[in-house]
Amino acid sequence: MKITAVRAYRRNLRLQKPYVITWQRVEDVENVFLEISLENGITGIGAANPSPEVVGESPEETLRNLQNDLVDWLTGKDIRNINSLIDAVDARYPHKPGTLAAVDIALHDAFGQWLGIPVVDFYGRRHEAMPTSVTIGIMDLAQTLEEAAAFKAAGFRVLKLKTGLNPAADAEKVIKLHERFHDHFVVRVDANTGYDLKGLQQFMQLTEACPVELIEQPLQPEEDTALNFLSSTLRAKLAADESLKNAEAAFDLCKADRYGIYNVKLMKCGGIRGALKIAAVTEPARAELFWGCNDESIVSITAALHAAFSCAHTRYIDLDGSFDLAEDVVSGGFVVKDGMMSIASGAGLGLKRLSS
């Protein structure tokens, strides 16, 4: 089944409300989309929103790559060779995970539609539904509690709290959340590389009486060796994020045994195929998978959910990246009810196109 047309474009998707993380205030989201059409009329769609700070590729660069010779190169190729096509794009654009993710996701969507089954069922569905965390950005204590109350009213049971500026103030938020909502919420923390070892230890000590499910990337990647000073019990609660970009990094991290949890993002590893390579490396190490995202279109969030649900050792999902978008180019893909996230019906990624 031949590819007959390829089209890349960019959309700046507005957020319903801005938020703050350690290094910036975010008000809108730049996504790059890729559409791949087959000779039978099927069109698959992919999307990318790479973070330059993490992977060294910007959405602008992604768009340039997709609009260059890649369009002509893909045209005429056979969708049945999906894995070799993805590997070839990886070879043509090494260390460009945004470019690779857009192609990978679009090919998977088209391939699944051609087969007539959801992508997750091609790889083997291991999960039907999981609770996703919802994110509270860096804000003052009163705003944090207000956001949490709104999430409780909306039916969510898992919070991810952005931290990393002040360990004592961060701990106070966790403690106050526990005092206000008791056991209603499971609380996760994302320090976004904002702590040093002393700050991390301070935060862990102050929150010892208040259950924190996991702590995501507390230190800068180059400081990971400092985690050796923590006990294995404490390290088991830590989730690698910025330190984990691809399967090679996963292999090194497994050998070092500094993290018990591995945060997989399609925008870091180049899409579904790259994510499943990480999964294959980490499973023998008995690591747990935690699937995350940037602020992304429903397109790439859905792709991550399909990958996550095909892995037996997926334990956590944090796939709220499209919840706060005021606009998108598709609908469908997944269903969220009372905080539980499941895959919508439909072949491929099960998406419905809204605009171009």
Side-chain angles (χ1 to χ4, degrees):
M1 180 59 62
K2 297 293 183 62
I3 296 171
T4 57
V6 180
R7 183 171 78 99
Y9 54 96
R10 180 175 58 190
R11 291 287 182 272
N12 198 46
L13 305 178
R14 291 178 294 107
L15 292 171
Q16 296 182 40
K17 54 184 177 180
Y19 65 88
V20 177
I21 56 178
T22 50
W23 62 75
Q24 62 180 325
R25 176 181 173 88
V26 180
E27 297 184 351
D28 49 40
V29 183
E30 190 173 25
N31 277 255
V32 177
F33 296 92
L34 182 70
E35 295 180 2
I36 293 178
S37 298
L38 307 182
E39 58 185 325
N40 65 353
I42 284 174
T43 296
I45 185 168
N49 175 33
S51 171
E53 298 86 357
V54 177
V55 300
E57 180 184 2
S58 67
E60 291 80 9
E61 185 176 2
T62 298
L63 183 64
R64 287 197 303 270
N65 292 339
L66 295 175
Q67 289 181 333
N68 287 337
D69 65 328
L70 194 57
V71 170
D72 291 334
W73 182 83
L74 277 171
T75 302
K77 297 295 191 295
D78 194 322
I79 192 68
R80 292 175 296 181
N81 297 322
I82 179 173
N83 285 335
S84 61
L85 291 175
I86 294 168
D87 290 345
V89 172
D90 192 14
R92 291 170 74 90
Y93 293 95
H95 310 298
K96 302 299 179 187
T99 301
L100 184 59
V103 176
D104 171 288
I105 295 168
L107 287 172
H108 272 95
D109 186 27
F111 183 67
Q113 291 182 64
W114 176 72
L115 288 177
I117 61 173
V119 170
V120 66
D121 290 340
F122 174 73
Y123 289 108
R125 190 185 302 243
R126 303 301 179 89
H127 306 276
E128 293 295 333
M130 297 185 79
T132 183
S133 48
V134 283
T135 304
I136 297 179
I138 294 178
M139 55 186 67
D140 65 32
L141 177 59
Q143 291 174 310
T144 296
L145 295 175
E146 183 180 344
E147 285 276 297
F151 282 133
K152 179 181 179 182
F156 291 98
R157 300 297 300 265
V158 186
L159 295 180
K160 189 172 88 167
L161 192 64
K162 291 283 188 178
T163 63
L165 296 182
N166 184 310
D170 295 340
E172 183 184 13
K173 290 178 184 178
V174 172
I175 293 166
K176 294 300 183 182
L177 282 169
H178 185 67
E179 289 177 355
R180 174 74 63 86
F181 300 102
H182 304 289
D183 295 329
H184 177 83
F185 287 118
V186 172
V187 176
R188 301 168 182 169
V189 167
D190 183 3
N192 275 122
T193 73
Y195 296 146
D196 57 16
L197 181 63
K198 183 178 178 181
L200 173 61
Q201 290 173 314
Q202 180 186 8
F203 175 82
M204 296 177 106
Q205 290 166 358
L206 290 172
T207 59
E208 191 172 6
C210 301
V212 173
E213 186 175 42
L214 59 84
I215 302 173
E216 193 175 342
Q217 194 70 40
L219 311 184
Q220 291 285 343
E222 60 270 19
E223 298 173 359
D224 274 352
T225 54
L227 298 176
N228 292 337
F229 290 97
L230 301 178
S231 70
S232 59
T233 300
L234 293 179
R235 294 200 308 272
K237 293 180 62 174
L238 302 182
D241 182 3
E242 285 84 353
S243 294
L244 174 66
K245 293 185 175 67
N246 51 37
E248 291 80 4
F251 182 78
D252 291 339
L253 288 170
C254 285
K255 286 195 299 182
D257 192 28
R258 296 187 184 112
Y259 292 94
I261 304 164
Y262 290 73
N263 183 292
V264 185
K265 291 179 180 174
L266 270 56
M267 296 305 113
K268 292 187 299 182
C269 64
I272 293 172
R273 183 160 169 77
L276 295 182
K277 288 180 180 179
I278 292 175
V281 168
T282 56
E283 188 170 22
R286 301 185 183 279
E288 298 180 331
L289 295 184
F290 176 28
W291 295 78
C293 59
N294 301 334
D295 290 312
E296 301 172 28
S297 165
I298 289 171
V299 174
S300 48
I301 296 295
T302 301
L305 191 63
H306 279 252
F309 281 10
S310 72
C311 298
H313 56 312
T314 292
R315 294 290 179 270
Y316 320 94
I317 60 172
D318 175 44
L319 295 176
D320 63 338
S322 65
F323 292 1
D324 289 334
L325 293 181
E327 57 186 339
D328 208 327
V329 302
V330 299
S331 62
F334 57 80
V335 176
V336 181
K337 184 177 181 180
D338 295 330
M340 297 293 291
M341 203 167 188
S342 58
I343 292 171
S345 60
L349 296 177
L351 301 168
K352 181 180 178 182
R353 175 82 170 276
L354 295 178
S355 62
S356 60

